[in-house]
Amino acid sequence: MIGARRRPQEESRMPGSRRRARSRLAPALAALVLALVPTAVPVQAAAKPKAPAGYDHHRCGNTSGRVLLTLDDWSYGDDDRAVTVGRSLQRKGIRAAFFLVNSYASRYPKVAAALHAQGHWVGNHTWSHPHLRQLSEREARAEIRGGVDSTLLRPPYGDFGDRETRLAEELGYRICTWTVDTRDWEGPDGTFPGTAALRATVRDAPAADKRSGVVLGHLFSHFPEALPGIIDDLRDQGYRLCRNTGPTTRVIPYPLNC
Ligand SMILES: [Zn+2]
């Protein structure tokens, strides 16, 4: 288009020799412009999957009717746990999403690679798990940039506002929270709730939060042990889980291919 645009008056004013020189030069210039411009535009566009109209951050783009299980943070002191959990979910034909704290995950790159190979998504949960809203814009941007390279951002503590949504979009992310919070980190006297309590929380959650829903648990709690029971309960209740269709990449699609 750029190369095709002509300015006839200007050309007709040129002396014949310059006109010929210009006409030889024009295709080269046009090729140069075309070579530069199109690369700049799509790369930027690809890096900014702006949240589509009607995007519901609670559902993370899950429109499948199925339930997406998500596991956050890290299993402190048991660095292989994510891979073990990922393998057992894969065996059940289930795709989950892991939002890893990258100050840990980056030390064990094989973990994210194994999760991808198992058919799970690995999302950004920032570098060091801060309250993003309490940071300066520069610090918040650095925390997101330092997170696992992905296209979904789960803000730590679900703490985000308009600024964080904008920063996320600028950096190529959609915000992803949850519809069912197991509160698996909050037991009496600093303990974690047991598997029976976690099962009951998911079993009793409203249907609207489970259909096309997103369940939140953590890698460090009893949530991984509770998962087989949670999955059985969900299936007994007639829900289906996000299907595992093989290896994933850093790009978590919209809508989710569950
Ligand atoms: Zn977290």
Side-chain angles (χ1 to χ4, degrees), residues 72-73 125 129 218:
D72 280 15
D73 293 22
H125 200 36
H129 208 274
H218 292 82

Coordinates of all heavy atoms in Angstrom, one line a residue, residues 72-73 125 129 218, ligand 1:
D72 N -1.1 -22.6 42.8 CA -0.3 -21.4 42.8 C 1.0 -21.5 43.7 O 1.1 -22.4 44.5 CB -1.1 -20.2 43.4 CG -2.1 -19.6 42.4 OD1 -2.3 -20.2 41.4 OD2 -2.6 -18.5 42.7
D73 N 1.8 -20.6 43.5 CA 3.0 -20.3 44.3 C 4.1 -21.3 44.0 O 4.7 -21.4 43.0 CB 2.7 -20.2 45.8 CG 1.8 -19.0 46.1 OD1 1.2 -18.5 45.1 OD2 1.8 -18.5 47.2
H125 N 2.9 -15.4 38.1 CA 2.4 -15.0 39.4 C 3.4 -14.1 40.1 O 3.6 -14.1 41.3 CB 2.3 -16.3 40.2 CG 1.4 -16.2 41.4 ND1 0.2 -15.4 41.4 CD2 1.4 -16.8 42.7 CE1 -0.4 -15.5 42.6 NE2 0.4 -16.3 43.4
H129 N 5.9 -12.3 44.5 CA 4.6 -12.4 45.2 C 4.3 -11.2 46.1 O 3.9 -11.4 47.2 CB 4.6 -13.7 46.0 CG 3.2 -14.3 46.2 ND1 2.4 -13.9 47.2 CD2 2.5 -15.2 45.5 CE1 1.3 -14.5 47.2 NE2 1.3 -15.3 46.1
H218 N -3.2 -24.2 46.3 CA -1.8 -23.9 46.3 C -0.9 -25.2 46.4 O -1.4 -26.2 46.9 CB -1.4 -23.0 47.6 CG -2.0 -21.6 47.4 ND1 -3.3 -21.4 47.8 CD2 -1.5 -20.5 47.0 CE1 -3.6 -20.1 47.5 NE2 -2.4 -19.5 47.1
Ligands
ZN1 ZN 0.0 -16.7 45.4

